[in-house]
């Protein structure tokens, strides 16, 4: 019932194919189809351990729906070293973020919605998915080819596009656990039991979560224009599971438990075998998820604790200017924020330029 | 009449300010104000030599209008080495292209056009520029700060936004000379005497040329909606002057001559002292400026000559698979294009991944 | 009594000079001359904070001998970013370790020792230092120039070579505090109060500590051959103060206290105002300071605690092969060492190739 | 008679094995055993095309001795991109040059030479090779493992150590063809027909040519100490075949022809089917092979032609300081050399730091 295979996602100058491992679990019944992917950013390894723990859970409690899981989804990014670290966030040739290259062309929406305005939901679902597939194949057959990042993205997206639920497992740099939630899925997002949440609009900007849900959300909007209420038929989330370059297989079990809790509320296990201890869930809108940039170059002591409320004006970090040691100039300055916040993540290095993104914080928070 | 100064555009972790040299020439009379910048991409050095040659010309033939020139506009990009080469196309921390971070927020257009619908052109020009400045200062005063790339871009753009003509001097990787031309300025673009030309729409996407002309073009569109015809008051071009990592001071004199030829048609020297030998000027629309991506990984012999017509199906490059040497597998394949074209540039390395952008070519060409 | 200046150590392509800050404290009397440097490896920032704390101590307790301190000693390495991290261990152009480019040519030893065989120690000291300076100036005046790394190293070494005590402040990747001790200085090394110590032979291999003491140790050996016992007149140590990319100004006070404790035993403060709580000091010979390399590629959970004894065969780390998830192949393996050890440091990333240096450990340890 | 296989030389974090292609040709008779390798530095691709042309020749003229050829010998270096270029000269984690990690421990020489002092040459050859193998296996079985670069080097060296002739195919940055010649093999080196030659001493410093011939040369020296004259039984050369990042399959045929010319003089084809047009061969000692380093930071026009004599004081390059444009400061300076020379190679980028190796030149040249 568990099958493993590989999918080719690219090819190196030496001719070595770049392949990703694919684990397929056949569902026991009629549950949602689920696609879960990890490590598209090369330094963000924790999701692989979460997939390992999920596989253990799926073995113990066979799921109703089909599951496809892809750990180590970006061989090029994972294997790209620069010094001791994994330079895995963007294509080293072009600088393009590996998670901004998924595809959707919205021009298909209007003709589709006119054709299927009165169709059954199930018919719409199948026909729209088929239309997405066609758009894909057309793009892949261009005589001009695709970029390296597009090859990777399209091979992954071809699997993701078949699913009703898409989970993309990331981490921050030095980071607390947090979740990107499309606004329409806000209620369901609680079940992940992730303490910090960012509500995002449902537009398409090239990331896997958006590429997965946005076509269906836009379809729903299109039908609404024509007066028909159509549910958004796909859920997709980006989970940020702690810090990059860190593998913690025990913590991964808790991460996996939250995911199973969400999945069982989506009908994956009718008898709901999983149980999470509820925690406080904070959230803010994407426009209130703020990045604070260093006002000067220097070396930083990060002081604000992650996932702990920080009052306006309280110490966020100390910026040191050791080049002024022994002189009259300002040696250090305390950095603060203009409003109350909850710090989510901070930069991974002590040496920063003017403009380095030092912290990202929730502001104007509310309970999810 | 020639003044030199520096402008601070950032700050390093050691506290070292990043500064760019600024050369200001005061105009003799009433010519256009001109801003010229080079080397925003760190490996693209030829523009610095062009500014040197322009300065020689300006000394010989003092211009009517004010000129501001910034060579070596990106200290961080120029000084960033990775192996022997200059890793200067994108921010090494974030991957963001250094030439996609300029700013314009179009929400100011509608209120502005309503207020100034019946004003004189000169009044509109001054008032709109003042509005752009205000937008800038507001952005710079955010308590959340700006990114490293935004600091750089805004400090340069503050100078560029005062000009009537903005020229951004770039190069390709291995490249023939070519020019990006906003469609509305097509007639004037001929005077640069650059053989290959790409006509671009007038939208804003973060590059300096767009950031310079697009607000004025959008303003013109906005007035047109209200029934008033307003000229686009700013010209801006990106010039691609050959190959990166290459300094050729003699060739730079010819490059500078083309620029002066354009400027004298814009009123910079009423007596028109400059003379270019006319050459054939080819052009295509941006949608016909095609990138061909490698269909596989391998090592490449680039064969199609730059700036020479290439018929459909003729050899573009040979892709070698040396990992199959001695076996039965395909050792090499000839790559071709599906239509006639004029190759403009090719990739700088012999080792390519599947998807590497091998060549960029004009298709559906016409005479400019 | 405290003077600050800068020394130029290089020049960037943009023409920007690379300068290091220099802090000079004039001694009150007849104590040793001390040179202290930090951050020659760009990511190793903690030493800067230690210099800050030392300066506080020196202000409070003016030292007998002259002190020269250079924080942020490598502007190029500190400012070199690759992704979020500081690619500061080696020259990005050539790969050469920044701390392997100091200079000493031993051919001067034999003629010198013949000339000064019967001289006073003080005369020998001054004359030998003068000979070292001459060797330096000769090298700097070569018409063929020096490499970028040699410019940096020689400018720093010119200051260091005037001192009786040279301290080079480093850190490991993820690391416990440890100290490199030249064998002849073993007794004195205790006063630094650093828990883990590596005894190194006194050869020259290009690092600052060796470049500082080895000429004097070789001089002593040379005199011994001629039957005269000459003390090694210079002490030099490399201190590894925790982990890279981490600034902890409170911990830096403890680091500075250990340094002052050593200095007061060398006569810096006759009234010995500093007091360290003694801790257990472990040591091993350099040949017993072992690196353990990953037996395969994979992703790692580091398990052995730093600065804690680890018995042979006990878990060092778990190596995960997530590409085999769901298949029959080995998913993970526990890595162990063949002998008892004390782990000193581990690699900074979770993703490792076959051969990555996972841990460095003391073996065959003894009390210092 | 031609067999192809692969040899595993490492393993990536994703678990992907790094493998090199190996082509084995069985000799027709009693000729020398030959090992040829290309592209150990990732950007140096031309040798792959030379191996392709050699294979064509070997098919046409079957050789007497066995031949083993390894194109694309360094998968990690070839596939490592940084911007458009291949960052293939050193390990991106440690900075270690990929061609400085081969192994030889000379402590085996003395016991070996005592044991075999009176043996036949053929017996010595086989026994010494067996001793080298044993040293290798011992090293590979260390419980502490090997570095990534050592895994690569040892897997290649295991093949090379079986050969009588070892050729390592490299290129320079921007470079004329040149050859490193061990002094004892000077006479034979002429047959390669390579215009510029550097005579190197026969010490071991970690490169493949040295690792291949130096043990045998040291053996010969050791026997000489005991009064027996023993020939150096292995020839090894590093060929530098033009510029990096450049594939020229036609030029590779000429390169291959020179190699075959050398091989036929070593007995590979008794009927000597290959013919080279003789050219002038210049040479100098390694100590006269000089690197000229930039006296300042700036941007460079390379002017001296490669493989053309350059008189002392004649223009080598122009160094431009565009940061001083418009001011009184020195804008450019002409760089010259203090003696007559033949330029061999120059740096690949126009942007240089103070100390960048601008040119390498032969001085005190003589005819080979």
């Amino acid at each position: 019932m568990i099958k493993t295979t590989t999918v080719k996602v690219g090819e190196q100058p030496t001719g070595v194919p770049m392949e990703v491992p694919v684990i397929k679990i056949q569902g026991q019944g009629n549950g949602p189809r689920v696609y879960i992917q990890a490590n598209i950013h090369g330094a963000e390894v924790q999701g692989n351990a979460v997939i390992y723990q999920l596989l253990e859970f799926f073995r113990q409690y066979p799921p109703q729906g089909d599951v496809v899981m892809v750990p180590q989804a970006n061989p090029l990014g994972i294997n790209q070293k620069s010094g001791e670290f994994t330079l895995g966030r963007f294509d080293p040739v072009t600088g393009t973020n590996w998670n901004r290259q998924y595809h959707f062309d919205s021009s298909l929406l209007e003709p589709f919605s006119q054709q299927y305005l009165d169709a059954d939901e199930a018919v719409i679902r199948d026909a729209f998915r088929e239309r997405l597939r066609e758009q894909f194949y057309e793009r892949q057959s261009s005589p001009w080819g695709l970029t390296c990042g597009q090859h990777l993205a399209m091979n992954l997206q071809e699997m993701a596009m078949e699913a009703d639920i898409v989970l993309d497992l990331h981490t921050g740099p030095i980071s607390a656990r947090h979740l990107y939630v499309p606004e329409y899925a806000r209620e369901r997002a609680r079940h992940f039991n992730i303490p910090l949440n960012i509500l995002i609009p449902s537009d398409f900007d090239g990331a896997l979560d958006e590429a997965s849900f946005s076509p269906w959300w836009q379809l729903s909007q299109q039908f609404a224009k024509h007066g028909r209420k159509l549910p958004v038929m796909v859920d997709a989330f980006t989970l940020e599971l702690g810090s990059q370059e860190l593998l913690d297989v025990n913590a991964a079990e808790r991460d996996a438990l939250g995911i199973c809790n969400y999945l069982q509320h989506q009908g994956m296990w009718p008898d709901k075998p999983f149980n999470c201890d509820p925690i406080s869930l904070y959230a803010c809108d994407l426009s209130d998820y703020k990045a604070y940039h260093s006002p000067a170059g220097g070396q930083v002591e990060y002081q604000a604790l992650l996932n702990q409320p920080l009052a306006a004006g309280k110490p966020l970090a100390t910026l040191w200017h050791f080049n002024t040691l022994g002189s009259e100039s300002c040696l250090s300055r305390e950095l603060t924020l203009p409003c109350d916040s909850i710090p989510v993540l901070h930069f991974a290095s002590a040496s920063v330029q003017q403009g380095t993104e030092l912290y990202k914080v929730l502001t104007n928070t509310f309970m999810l």
Side-chain angles (χ1 to χ4, degrees), chain A:
Chain A
M1 224 168 43
I2 295 176
K3 287 198 305 189
T4 62
T5 178
T6 58
V7 165
K8 183 178 164 185
V9 296
E11 212 175 282
Q12 296 274 31
T14 50
V16 175
M18 289 187 280
E19 295 177 326
V20 297
V22 177
I23 301 147
K24 293 186 179 178
I25 303 165
Q26 199 186 321
Q28 302 292 302
N30 221 350
R33 284 164 302 173
V34 177
Y35 174 81
I36 302 175
Q37 165 183 304
N39 214 175
I40 190 73
H41 286 145
E44 306 181 2
V45 299
Q46 176 70 359
N48 300 320
V50 174
I51 287 179
Y52 157 69
Q53 297 286 13
L54 286 169
L55 187 58
E56 296 293 298
F57 284 143
F58 289 136
R59 279 178 162 140
Q60 204 178 347
Y61 303 101
Q64 289 297 303
D66 295 346
V67 178
V68 175
M69 299 197 291
V70 179
Q72 299 191 330
N74 182 354
L76 203 152
I78 294 166
N79 293 338
Q80 179 84 12
K81 285 287 176 182
S82 183
E84 293 154 48
F85 299 96
T86 307
L87 192 65
R89 209 175 162 70
F90 49 79
D91 184 328
V93 180
T94 61
T96 317
N97 189 319
W98 293 115
N99 190 26
R100 291 295 178 282
Q101 311 199 43
Y102 298 94
H103 181 63
F104 174 59
D105 175 355
S106 61
S107 64
L108 61 72
L109 287 168
E110 181 51 25
F112 181 88
S113 59
Q114 296 216 347
Q115 187 179 349
Y116 286 89
L117 195 54
D118 303 317
D120 274 1
E121 281 192 13
V123 170
I124 291 173
R125 176 190 315 234
D126 291 350
F128 189 62
R129 201 162 253 135
E130 182 56 26
R131 204 57 64 83
L132 291 175
R133 284 184 205 113
E134 285 164 14
Q135 192 183 71
F136 245 62
Y137 300 141
E138 191 182 345
R139 186 158 189 248
Q140 285 173 320
S141 63
S142 161
W144 297 97
L146 296 170
T147 69
C148 173
Q150 288 166 346
H151 277 287
L152 171 61
M154 292 192 87
N155 278 291
L156 297 172
Q157 201 177 349
E158 268 191 276
M159 295 184 275
M161 89 176 16
E162 301 301 327
D164 306 308
I165 293 170
V166 172
L167 306 180
D168 195 13
L169 309 186
H170 285 246
T171 78
I174 308 295
S175 179
R177 279 157 169 78
H178 55 291
L179 179 68
Y180 286 94
V181 179
E183 272 166 10
Y184 72 85
R186 178 174 169 171
E187 290 303 309
R188 302 191 281 281
R190 280 187 198 134
H191 302 301
F192 285 107
N193 215 33
I194 291 178
L196 303 174
N197 296 270
I198 300 124
L199 296 180
I200 60 173
S202 299
D203 303 330
F204 175 67
D205 191 35
L208 180 63
D209 55 353
E210 298 161 336
S212 301
F213 70 68
S214 191
W216 298 92
W217 175 81
Q218 290 183 45
L219 182 70
S220 159
Q221 299 292 102
Q222 192 73 24
F223 271 69
K225 277 194 214 161
H226 294 289
R228 178 170 173 190
K229 193 171 159 60
L230 191 73
V232 182
M233 296 181 188
V234 167
D235 259 16
F237 301 89
T238 296
L239 292 78
E240 306 272 345
L241 302 170
S243 301
Q244 68 192 3
E245 296 288 17
L246 185 66
L247 195 62
D248 182 334
V249 179
N250 289 330
E253 190 179 349
R254 292 191 297 278
D255 295 328
L257 187 62
I259 291 171
C260 288
N261 192 47
Y262 162 80
L263 290 178
Q264 75 184 358
H265 279 89
Q266 296 302 102
M268 203 59 154
W269 297 275
D271 54 342
K272 305 203 171 180
F274 296 99
N275 238 317
C276 282
D277 293 336
I279 58 170
S280 298
L281 306 180
Y282 295 91
C284 77
D285 291 329
L286 182 61
S287 57
D288 290 324
Y289 184 44
K290 293 289 198 184
Y292 176 80
H293 302 90
S294 184
Q299 297 187 325
V300 179
E301 273 191 299
Y302 298 94
Q303 293 183 333
L305 299 177
L306 303 179
N307 195 15
Q308 300 288 335
L310 179 76
K314 289 290 172 188
L316 182 74
T318 308
L319 182 61
W320 292 84
H321 306 293
F322 292 115
N323 57 319
T324 67
L325 258 178
S327 74
E328 303 298 301
S329 311
C330 148
L331 176 65
S332 72
R333 58 177 112 174
E334 198 157 83
L335 305 177
T336 61
L337 298 182
C339 65
D340 292 356
S341 68
I342 304 178
V344 176
L345 57 85
H346 68 70
F347 196 60
S349 163
S351 287
V352 302
Q353 300 162 327
Q354 183 184 35
T356 294
E357 190 181 286
L358 289 187
Y359 269 90
K360 293 190 83 171
V361 300
L362 303 186
T363 67
N364 294 320
T365 53
F366 46 84
M367 305 305 291
L368 185 68

